[in-house]
Amino acid sequence: MPAMVEPPFSNPLFSSKITHNLKSVHCSSQAPNFLPIRYNSRTTTACSCSAENVDPAPVLLPHSIVFSRNPNLSSDISNRTTKDRREVVRLAWEKLVRWSRSWRSKAKTDDVLERTNKVVVLGGGSFGTAMAAHIGNRKSHLEVNMLVRDPQICRSINEKHCNIKYFPEHKLPENVVATTDAKAALLNADFCLHAIPVQFSSSFLEGIADCVDPGLPFISLSKGLELNTLRMMSQIIPRALRNPRQPYIVLSGPSFALELMNNLPTAMVVASKDKKLAKAAQQLLASTNLRISTSRDVTGVEIAGALKNVLAIAAGIVEGMNLGNNSMAALVAQGCSEIRWLATKMGAKSTTITGLSGTGDIMLTCFVNLSRNRTVGVRLGSGENLDDILRSMNQVAEGVSTAGAVIALAQKYNVKMPVLTAVARIIDNELTPQKAVRELMSLPQSLDCRLKKYEYAGFDLEYEIIHQRIDEQIQRRTPQSTNIHYDVLCKSFFSG
């Protein structure tokens, strides 16, 4: 290590009255970084004392000193730092790309799409049409049959290659055809995409059950809960088809049909208890414009997809009432917590609720005007009547019918859901949006909210028992000490 010599200014560590043995002075491990100074291309010392016995060495000064005394050098160092940072970013990106290519090259080449000859889409709505167009574009000689109820839509698809009701300006692929004959549509199908609204799914599937092959994989695009039975699609489809072993996959995530039709980048999730089945659906659907992730948490994906529609109505009400961005952020955050509370009680993974099919779908539905459920909420918040709103819409807003089912589920699993309960009461005309806001804002800021972080952290003890025991302890304490000791009490009780 080079010797450190006296800078050309007063330094309390060095004095002209002291004889310097500069060779014996070295930088300690705690010393700041130093830089050499060169003048006229030659390294010189900056010592005012005699240095006859000192070997020529560069002068080392702290960065801060060099910057202040040599602006050009400061600029050079700054530029060098920027280049170094950019180099780090470039190398990180190249490493990511190399990993991606390596992973793809090692992936199995068993491509489901190549072995698929026919796909049937049940329903002629906007999302079913968008998915039919997407699959049709994936493979030109793949037959895509859409089973529709409306003869006018059927003719428009077959003759004009467009869905005249939902996408009159978008041309469908030539290999997408429509029919009203269920038997013809389902014959020799390799995959079935179910895009019928949840409330009509049971009766529809019961009517075509005899035409469905027991091994035909169903990919559900429908989001919601059956109003009277509280069933999800993973329960509705096998029951309606009278086949508990019917292969089932759910597809969900932040996706508007219009943007899928415009081939804009989209990411979604397929979930199935059968890992191979989820992988097959991924290979069928994934493309350069549609990224598909896989999951085994069917309950989490389905319950998040159903409840986000109810929360979107609440977000729309806030928008329609012009309550501002603060209210919107608070409401959606509270709604996300309520969805997570119920979903985890039903067996879902919390990571699913905070992922693409949970938080991702919630953000899209709550904040974007293309959302049907959000539109219903905006109009409710503006003072319109629900019946008039629904009559004027040509698409189904699943959140309207799902709201009541959500509250029934919350009661079943003993979960408090104030925001989603308020939406259900507004829909039932038992509460006005204005009164709902006042009641939500006046809810007690109780200790229950803080208990949730322990209740949903995976502990097995019953919430009611813990709540009662903690209340008994709190009653013995002063109000000033309640907040201080609350976390300690929770931890002690949950630790046994």
Side-chain angles (χ1 to χ4, degrees):
M1 182 179 294
M4 183 175 71
V5 300
E6 181 182 355
F9 49 84
S10 178
N11 189 325
L13 296 178
F14 295 92
S15 172
S16 59
K17 297 180 180 180
I18 301 175
T19 304
H20 297 175
N21 185 356
L22 297 177
K23 283 188 175 181
S24 64
V25 181
H26 295 277
C27 298
S28 69
S29 59
Q30 302 298 323
N33 294 327
F34 290 86
L35 295 172
I37 298 182
R38 295 179 181 272
Y39 299 99
N40 299 326
S41 302
R42 183 170 60 87
T43 302
T44 63
T45 61
C47 183
S48 59
C49 62
S50 173
E52 294 178 357
N53 297 324
V54 179
D55 296 333
V59 176
L60 301 179
L61 298 179
H63 286 173
S64 59
I65 298 174
V66 174
F67 292 167
S68 62
R69 296 179 64 85
N70 194 336
N72 293 333
L73 184 57
S74 173
S75 177
D76 291 342
I77 294 173
S78 178
N79 291 338
R80 191 183 313 127
T81 303
T82 301
K83 290 179 181 179
D84 290 343
R85 178 184 57 78
R86 290 177 178 174
E87 181 68 11
V88 170
V89 173
R90 183 185 67 81
L91 291 175
W93 176 253
E94 289 182 354
K95 184 178 180 180
L96 179 64
V97 171
R98 285 196 303 270
W99 167 80
S100 177
R101 291 172 180 171
S102 174
W103 186 88
R104 289 198 304 268
S105 65
K106 293 178 182 178
K108 293 182 178 180
T109 57
D110 182 20
D111 195 343
V112 171
L113 183 64
E114 292 301 319
R115 295 186 283 106
T116 302
N117 298 313
K118 182 178 180 180
V119 174
V120 60
V121 179
L122 305 181
S126 59
F127 201 76
T129 302
M131 290 305 299
H134 171 75
I135 295 174
N137 285 323
R138 292 272 286 140
K139 184 178 172 182
S140 60
H141 57 279
L142 174 65
E143 182 181 354
V144 181
N145 275 22
M146 294 182 64
L147 179 60
V148 300
R149 180 182 58 178
D150 191 337
Q152 185 180 4
I153 293 179
C154 184
R155 286 194 300 270
S156 68
I157 292 173
N158 293 331
E159 297 173 4
K160 300 179 181 179
H161 298 290
C162 71
N163 188 324
I164 194 171
K165 184 176 182 180
Y166 298 105
F167 298 111
E169 305 298 327
H170 291 78
K171 188 175 181 180
L172 298 174
E174 298 287 338
N175 56 339
V176 176
V177 296
T179 180
T180 56
D181 186 350
K183 187 175 182 178
L186 290 162
L187 183 65
N188 298 325
D190 297 303
F191 285 92
C192 177
L193 272 66
H194 182 279
I196 305 295
V198 173
Q199 306 309 321
F200 306 107
S201 290
S202 288
S203 58
F204 173 81
L205 291 171
E206 288 170 0
I208 66 169
D210 294 335
C211 306
V212 177
D213 186 280
L216 177 63
F218 268 69
I219 303 176
S220 175
L221 313 182
S222 306
K223 299 177 181 179
L225 297 169
E226 198 170 46
L227 186 57
N228 296 324
T229 65
L230 309 182
R231 296 191 189 107
M232 297 178 289
M233 288 306 304
S234 58
Q235 300 164 312
I236 294 172
I237 290 178
R239 186 180 182 90
L241 296 178
R242 302 185 296 276
N243 179 17
R245 296 183 179 274
Q246 193 77 43
Y248 178 80
I249 311 112
V250 57
L251 174 70
S252 187
S255 52
F256 284 139
L258 179 60
E259 296 189 1
L260 281 173
M261 290 293 288
N262 290 332
N263 296 318
L264 297 178
T266 304
M268 302 181 72
V269 176
V270 288
S272 175
K273 294 180 179 178
D274 185 337
K275 186 177 180 180
K276 292 182 178 179
L277 198 57
K279 185 69 175 179
Q282 181 187 48
Q283 292 183 0
L284 175 70
L285 301 175
S287 70
T288 55
N289 296 319
L290 180 57
R291 179 180 175 85
I292 300 290
S293 301
T294 61
S295 171
R296 300 185 69 178
D297 187 8
V298 175
T299 299
V301 172
E302 284 194 313
I303 200 67
L307 271 61
K308 61 95 181 179
N309 287 328
V310 184
L311 181 56
I313 295 176
I317 290 173
V318 170
E319 181 70 20
M321 295 177 67
N322 296 314
L323 297 182
N325 296 321
N326 293 349
S327 297
M328 180 68 76
L331 173 114
V332 174
Q334 171 66 23
C336 288
S337 295
E338 293 179 13
I339 292 173
R340 187 181 71 254
W341 296 341
L342 178 59
T344 51
K345 271 295 191 74
M346 295 176 66
K349 297 179 180 179
S350 59
T351 52
T352 301
I353 308 305
T354 57
L356 191 64
S357 59
T359 303
D361 210 359
I362 289 170
M363 289 191 293
L364 183 76
T365 314
C366 289
F367 299 139
V368 182
N369 291 329
L370 289 174
S371 167
R372 299 189 297 269
N373 293 283
R374 184 180 188 276
T375 299
V376 170
V378 171
R379 296 175 67 177
L380 283 172
S382 301
E384 292 189 50
N385 181 271
L386 179 62
D387 293 334
D388 295 337
I389 296 171
L390 298 180
R391 277 195 295 267
S392 67
M393 298 177 67
N394 64 350
Q395 293 177 293
V396 176
E398 284 284 3
V400 174
S401 53
T402 301
V406 168
I407 305 313
L409 269 181
Q411 292 176 348
K412 178 180 178 180
Y413 289 94
N414 196 24
V415 178
K416 294 180 177 65
M417 307 179 73
V419 168
L420 301 190
T421 302
V423 173
R425 289 180 61 80
I426 291 171
I427 289 174
D428 291 339
N429 289 323
E430 296 177 354
L431 201 64
T432 64
Q434 292 76 14
K435 188 174 181 180
V437 171
R438 289 196 299 270
E439 291 188 3
L440 286 174
M441 290 300 294
S442 62
L443 285 175
Q445 301 177 57
S446 67
L447 299 173
D448 296 289
C449 299
R450 281 174 287 169
L451 186 56
K452 296 296 182 184
K453 67 180 179 181
Y454 297 100
E455 179 189 0
Y456 296 105
F459 295 100
D460 295 327
L461 293 177
E462 290 293 333
Y463 166 73
E464 292 82 2
I465 299 175
I466 298 299
H467 187 277
Q468 182 180 0
R469 292 171 63 187
I470 291 176
D471 275 350
E472 291 173 358
Q473 292 285 344
I474 288 176
Q475 288 173 4
R476 303 191 187 105
R477 301 178 183 273
T478 63
Q480 291 79 7
S481 64
T482 297
N483 290 339
I484 299 174
H485 295 283
Y486 186 81
D487 286 348
V488 177
L489 287 171
C490 287
K491 290 177 182 177
S492 64
F493 283 130
F494 278 100
S495 62

